[in-house]
Amino acid sequence: MESPHQTRVQDNDNLRIMTAGAVLKKVKSRMWKRQRHYKLLEDCKTVAYKSSWARSSYSTFSVCDVEAVREGHQSEVLLSMADELPEERCFTLVFRGRRGNLDLVAESAEEARAWIQGMRTLIANIENMDDSEKYDQWVSDWFMKADKNKDGKMNFKEVQTLLKMMNLDMNEEHAHFLFTMADKSHTGSLDGEEFVHFYKMLTERREVLDLFKEYSSDGQTLSQCDLEEFLREEQMEGESSQALALELIDRYEPSVIAKTHQCMSIDGFLMYLTSPAGSIFNPGCQSLYQDMSQPLSHYFISSSHNTYLLEDQLRGPSSVEAYIQALKRGCRCVEVDCWDGSNGEPVVYHGYTLTSKILFKDVISTIASYAFRVSSYPVILSIENHCSIEQQRVMAGHLREILGDTLLRTTVDGKIPSALPSPGELRGKILVKGKKIGGLEESLAGVEGDTGEVSDEDEAAEMEKEGSSAENTTSEKKKSKQSLCKELSDLVVYCKSVHFSSFEHSRGAAKPYEMSSFSESKARKLTKETGAEFVQHNTRQLTRVYPSGMRTDSSNYCPQDMWNVGCQIVALNFQTAGLEMDLNDGLFCQNDRCGYVLKPEILRDPNSGFDPEMPQSCPGYHPVTLSILVISGQQLPKTKKKEGSIGDPLVRVEIYGVSMDQAKLETAHVENNGFNPCWNETLNFTLHCPELALVRFVVEDHDKTSKNDFIGQYTLPFTCMQPGYRHVHLLSKDGTSIPPSSLYVHVKITELSSLTPMDLQHEK
């Protein structure tokens, strides 16, 4: 079956070279280098490779899984071998999710350039496909996967096998009837185009067709007036429905004739519903829509803990790649644990453990390269300093030389601040968080001195108390005072680490540029016992929260409790997928994914009196009801690899927010249909503090005898939800998209104040 982009091979020299194949050297270390034969398959979507000693068996990976191509010595492995591997022959394929990168060395610079440019062309082709093309390509990929003898045809038995592979347990009689209709050539088998036609008939969206007919005046199309009514009544678009109707017809209607008559066919309607405009996530929240001129303390800031680690906290590897991945995900606060290294060069690793070490200067170089590729807003370097005075001076030198003008060295206006500057004022700047000798007042006055002593009651000491440094002997434990060199101290401007005494002390004595760090257990204790005071504290001061030192497996705590009291820098182990990172990704998927989200007014106003344990006592209290009709699922991925097994999916909707709002409800499971299941179940929630709520959709494969298997999830802020008929585009465990997998739902949001007494009684 021909790929939609296959014809481009003949017109592209790079793709011709790739399809011809090449021997490339796969490199993992100085000791591990292997020759592999790589070639691009004719579908222009798959790269096959095999060992030089393998006779015929190729392994493959999809071009769709490749996120980027890095040229030259940009990976940690290739950089460490720069002396023996010519830069012009080296390149790195970066995969989505948690799969490791692939470092390759070509036999010539010309060959490397062909693969680099060719891969970039293929990636761009995929990114430029519209939704319809992507869907057809997805079906085509399945056809090619099942066409074992590569003759471009499949009989009914082969089609049955393929549909089971695709997670669909079909009605055989109905499927055979559609198969016969699709067999235009009357050969008893389907070619690629016929299979796509058959597949579309088999998976017709009856629930969408019924909705279409409900609003269609003639049962065939939606006129402009019909579509306006649908947008107004169901999608709650209000006064914008007229202009939006014309825009949607122009953008999504595939029929030129229908466009001319300003109406929409069922195909156009389905394309709209499955598009970003029909997504549950409001497109208006995807752009930079928030005010970025308020003090830093008024924002949630995407933050990473032990950023240098790829795995666990005891033996796992440290890597600059971990910084790259975090920064690419919009992280704006990264942690750098610094220790004395050999040859006078500071190193970064998890102290007193067997985690590997990387050079401090390599970490800073990586941050310099990737800090502002995703977001132009400030990056905070959270420095945990364990170095001697001599190596602290080396650190300060590297920071100044490598970061250059991006390093913030003084206040934005050269004056002592009465409040923190805004993210907008700090665009393109890197801030150092750490200990400081004295305050900004002394720094700006140019007070002389080479070194000074600072209190060492910081987060490192807290972590020792929690047991993270169990291998640390008594003689190695940190003293109550630490020597700090002035060069490094002077680089700390707006993020001076100070020990937290009490909220009372903070109110009376804290400077705007002072901030404290709390272990998760201490922060949780404060949220429960003095939540309102914590909220007020966080309107003025920055607060950092980090995982317990006992989490040696790099697991995470739930960040929601900390966000509820306005903690800005809630640091998580970005390397560990799961619920906690889903929540982090969900919160920060808005506002252009810039890593800064403006906190709700109740968390910015020091006089709000907001207490997350009693939201109803706040003057701005406005509860809502959220009703989600879970209608159907589309093309859910299989979780069980066993041949012939079919999924039994269920959907769970989870609410994360203040304690009163925490809730989970789920549908029944649908047996033997992981492909296009229908639930038609309504799940109802009451949100007492909607501005802090995150909504998480989880799809699982029901299992009677063991834990359900994860299929997909999607998390978003309640404030970014669109009402009406919407699609929820599912993500994998790693947070990467898994098209075309989705849920089809109807969302209804009602202000409780507008409900009748009977409705209120029903809510109870």
Side-chain angles (χ1 to χ4, degrees):
M1 180 176 186
E2 187 177 272
S3 161
H5 297 276
Q6 185 174 339
T7 54
R8 299 185 187 183
V9 174
Q10 288 76 32
D11 306 322
N12 188 299
D13 290 339
N14 296 323
L15 299 188
R16 278 204 300 273
I17 291 172
M18 291 173 69
T19 52
V23 175
L24 304 173
K25 188 178 292 181
K26 179 180 178 180
V27 181
K28 288 187 178 181
S29 68
R30 285 189 184 273
M31 302 299 293
W32 199 103
K33 308 183 197 79
R34 302 287 189 273
Q35 299 279 15
R36 297 281 187 267
H37 186 264
Y38 290 84
K39 66 177 180 179
L40 176 68
L41 299 187
E42 291 184 2
D43 66 351
C44 281
K45 290 285 295 299
T46 310
V47 175
Y49 59 95
K50 68 174 181 177
S51 305
S52 55
W53 46 263
R55 292 188 176 181
S56 59
S57 58
Y58 276 89
S59 299
T60 62
F61 63 82
S62 172
V63 175
C64 296
D65 295 332
V66 181
E67 184 178 346
V69 185
R70 294 189 199 143
E71 199 168 345
H73 296 151
Q74 287 199 51
S75 78
E76 204 166 348
V77 170
L78 294 177
L79 193 60
S80 69
M81 301 172 64
D83 58 333
E84 65 172 280
L85 300 175
E87 187 167 18
E88 66 275 9
R89 287 166 45 197
C90 298
F91 62 99
T92 302
L93 301 186
V94 181
F95 290 90
R96 301 180 192 279
R98 292 170 61 78
R99 178 173 175 175
N101 296 342
L102 179 59
D103 291 311
L104 297 169
V105 184
E107 293 186 339
S108 69
E110 293 72 26
E111 196 169 60
R113 193 157 47 248
W115 275 82
I116 291 166
Q117 294 174 355
M119 285 297 296
R120 286 175 177 166
T121 298
L122 295 173
I123 292 169
N125 284 348
I126 292 166
E127 290 175 348
N128 291 331
M129 285 184 188
D130 61 30
D131 291 336
S132 179
E133 284 180 309
K134 286 178 182 175
Y135 185 76
D136 287 351
Q137 184 65 59
W138 182 80
V139 179
S140 301
D141 288 347
W142 274 106
F143 183 92
M144 293 190 69
K145 195 182 297 184
D147 184 15
K148 301 294 185 185
N149 62 359
K150 306 302 177 190
D151 66 350
K153 291 184 177 294
M154 298 187 71
N155 60 33
F156 183 62
K157 188 173 181 181
E158 289 172 322
V159 167
Q160 281 182 297
T161 302
L162 172 56
L163 292 174
K164 284 194 174 182
M165 288 168 59
M166 298 173 81
N167 214 6
L168 176 60
D169 191 10
M170 60 185 176
N171 177 294
E172 186 172 335
E173 186 177 337
H174 176 59
H176 193 270
F177 170 73
L178 297 179
F179 180 92
T180 304
M181 288 181 63
D183 183 15
K184 305 288 187 184
S185 56
H186 305 292
T187 59
S189 61
L190 305 182
D191 62 20
E193 289 185 11
E194 289 172 335
F195 176 75
V196 171
H197 180 58
F198 160 77
Y199 181 82
K200 287 183 175 179
M201 288 192 294
L202 186 67
T203 56
E204 183 181 65
R205 298 284 301 278
R206 173 59 57 182
E207 70 277 26
V208 174
L209 185 59
D210 290 344
L211 179 64
F212 177 84
K213 288 182 176 178
E214 182 182 338
Y215 280 89
S216 172
S217 300
D218 60 7
Q220 301 298 314
T221 61
L222 292 176
S223 66
Q224 181 186 337
C225 289
D226 293 338
L227 185 54
E228 280 180 37
E229 183 184 3
F230 170 76
L231 294 172
R232 189 172 55 252
E233 297 296 321
E234 299 291 355
Q235 310 298 74
M236 310 303 289
E237 296 292 355
E239 295 178 1
S240 66
S241 58
Q242 182 177 0
L244 182 59
L246 290 173
E247 182 187 332
L248 294 177
I249 290 170
D250 183 61
R251 187 183 303 174
Y252 298 111
E253 177 51 53
S255 166
V256 176
I257 297 173
K259 272 187 182 179
T260 304
H261 290 88
Q262 293 187 337
C263 60
M264 182 175 272
S265 66
I266 180 62
D267 289 338
F269 187 60
L270 182 58
M271 285 181 68
Y272 151 62
L273 285 177
T274 55
S275 75
S279 166
I280 195 168
F281 191 91
N282 187 340
C285 296
Q286 290 180 330
S287 60
L288 193 73
Y289 74 100
Q290 294 183 332
D291 177 9
M292 302 301 286
S293 64
Q294 300 197 31
L296 279 179
S297 55
H298 287 188
Y299 297 84
F300 294 124
I301 304 172
S302 182
S303 307
S304 163
H305 175 63
N306 286 352
T307 314
Y308 46 88
L309 292 178
L310 286 172
E311 296 172 11
D312 69 81
Q313 321 238 335
L314 295 179
R315 299 174 182 273
S318 303
S319 171
V320 296
E321 187 63 37
Y323 286 93
I324 295 172
Q325 294 301 329
L327 291 167
K328 281 166 60 178
R329 290 179 77 163
C331 181
R332 297 288 86 189
C333 180
V334 297
E335 187 177 20
V336 189
D337 287 9
C338 309
W339 300 79
D340 281 355
S342 58
N343 302 318
E345 284 291 345
V347 294
V348 174
Y349 84 114
H350 202 209
Y352 308 115
T353 69
L354 298 178
T355 57
S356 62
K357 300 173 182 178
I358 48 179
L359 291 175
F360 175 79
K361 64 180 179 182
D362 288 346
V363 169
I364 302 306
S365 295
T366 299
I367 292 170
S369 296
Y370 286 88
F372 304 111
R373 293 199 184 187
V374 170
S375 169
S376 63
Y377 289 97
V379 170
I380 300 171
L381 302 187
S382 182
I383 302 287
E384 191 174 301
N385 175 17
H386 304 272
C387 291
S388 62
I389 290 292
E390 293 74 25
Q391 295 209 12
Q392 286 180 37
R393 290 198 176 99
V394 175
M395 286 169 57
H398 288 325
L399 288 167
R400 289 192 302 267
E401 292 161 20
I402 296 170
L403 299 181
D405 291 340
T406 63
L407 178 65
L408 187 78
R409 305 190 196 196
T410 186
T411 55
V412 292
D413 57 4
K415 299 176 182 177
I416 303 298
S418 57
L420 286 167
S422 69
E425 291 176 289
L426 295 169
R427 285 181 89 151
K429 290 296 182 183
I430 295 176
L431 284 62
V432 174
K433 170 197 166 290
K435 292 295 179 181
K436 186 174 181 66
I437 304 166
L440 274 179
E441 294 80 2
E442 291 89 337
S443 293
L444 293 176
V447 175
E448 296 298 323
D450 294 329
T451 63
E453 285 192 336
V454 292
S455 170
D456 201 37
E457 297 175 281
D458 61 359
E459 62 266 34
E462 294 267 4
M463 289 175 73
E464 285 184 5
K465 291 174 190 173
E466 293 198 27
S468 66
S469 298
E471 296 179 34
N472 183 12
T473 64
T474 304
S475 61
E476 290 172 322
K477 285 188 177 178
K478 297 164 72 70
K479 299 174 184 177
S480 60
K481 296 287 183 183
Q482 179 191 17
S483 293
L484 185 65
C485 82
K486 188 173 185 299
E487 293 95 326
L488 189 58
S489 169
D490 283 349
L491 299 182
V492 176
V493 182
Y494 290 117
C495 301
K496 176 185 176 182
S497 297
V498 298
H499 175 66
F500 176 78
S501 298
S502 67
F503 291 127
E504 183 181 6
H505 177 269
S506 170
R507 279 195 302 273
K511 306 288 179 61
Y513 56 83
E514 294 177 339
M515 62 178 291
S516 300
S517 293
F518 301 92
S519 67
E520 61 174 280
S521 56
K522 186 172 181 180
R524 193 174 290 112
K525 186 173 186 288
L526 290 172
T527 63
K528 294 295 181 186
E529 296 177 357
T530 51
E533 285 192 274
F534 211 167
V535 169
Q536 190 183 62
H537 172 86
N538 287 326
T539 63
R540 307 181 311 272
Q541 314 293 139
L542 287 177
T543 293
R544 178 175 179 268
V545 183
Y546 56 88
S548 161
M550 301 303 290
R551 294 183 181 274
T552 55
D553 59 351
S554 290
S555 60
N556 282 308
Y557 57 93
C558 181
Q560 187 68 50
D561 295 339
M562 320 309 171
W563 292 329
N564 287 343
V565 291
C567 295
Q568 303 87 354
I569 302 176
V570 181
L572 298 177
N573 289 301
F574 268 50
Q575 71 270 33
T576 306
L579 161 66
E580 298 80 13
M581 276 308 298
D582 292 345
L583 296 179
N584 196 78
D585 291 343
L587 175 64
F588 291 102
C589 66
Q590 61 183 311
N591 208 33
D592 201 30
R593 298 181 181 270
C594 75
Y596 285 82
V597 169
L598 187 65
K599 297 194 290 188
E601 176 64 26
I602 52 174
L603 296 180
R604 305 196 311 265
D605 179 4
N607 301 314
S608 71
F610 176 71
D611 185 340
E613 293 301 306
M614 294 186 294
Q616 68 275 29
S617 65
C618 185
Y621 177 61
H622 56 281
V624 301
T625 59
L626 171 63
S627 178
I628 299 176
L629 170 62
V630 182
I631 303 170
S632 61
Q634 293 75 47
Q635 290 85 44
L636 303 179
K638 288 187 73 167
T639 59
K640 295 168 184 169
K641 303 299 181 185
K642 184 180 176 183
E643 190 174 346
S645 66
I646 303 294
D648 305 321
L650 61 84
V651 177
R652 185 169 60 254
V653 177
E654 304 172 348
I655 307 294
Y656 294 87
V658 298
S659 298
M660 290 180 70
D661 292 348
Q662 305 275 10
K664 296 180 183 181
L665 294 173
E666 65 184 41
T667 67
H669 66 275
V670 174
E671 291 194 2
N672 291 325
N673 190 349
F675 192 77
N676 54 359
C678 285
W679 293 279
N680 286 312
E681 289 190 46
T682 301
L683 308 177
N684 294 308
F685 303 90
T686 299
L687 305 183
H688 297 274
C689 189
E691 54 266 70
L692 280 172
L694 291 170
V695 183
R696 183 172 184 250
F697 293 83
V698 186
V699 186
E700 292 180 346
D701 186 1
H702 174 73
D703 197 311
K704 294 178 182 177
T705 58
S706 61
K707 184 180 178 182
N708 292 347
D709 290 319
F710 174 89
I711 292 176
Q713 68 84 30
Y714 188 80
T715 308
L716 78 163
F718 170 80
T719 53
C720 296
M721 285 181 74
Q722 293 200 102
Y725 287 95
R726 304 292 175 184
H727 278 83
V728 180
H729 298 281
L730 297 174
L731 304 175
S732 70
K733 195 168 283 186
D734 290 329
T736 54
S737 61
I738 43 175
S741 301
S742 65
L743 298 176
Y744 179 50
V745 302
H746 182 271
V747 177
K748 184 179 180 182
I749 300 167
T750 311
E751 294 278 347
L752 266 174
S753 57
S754 67
L755 295 181
T756 66
M758 187 175 295
D759 292 327
L760 287 168
Q761 185 64 36
H762 178 69
E763 284 300 321
K764 291 178 184 177

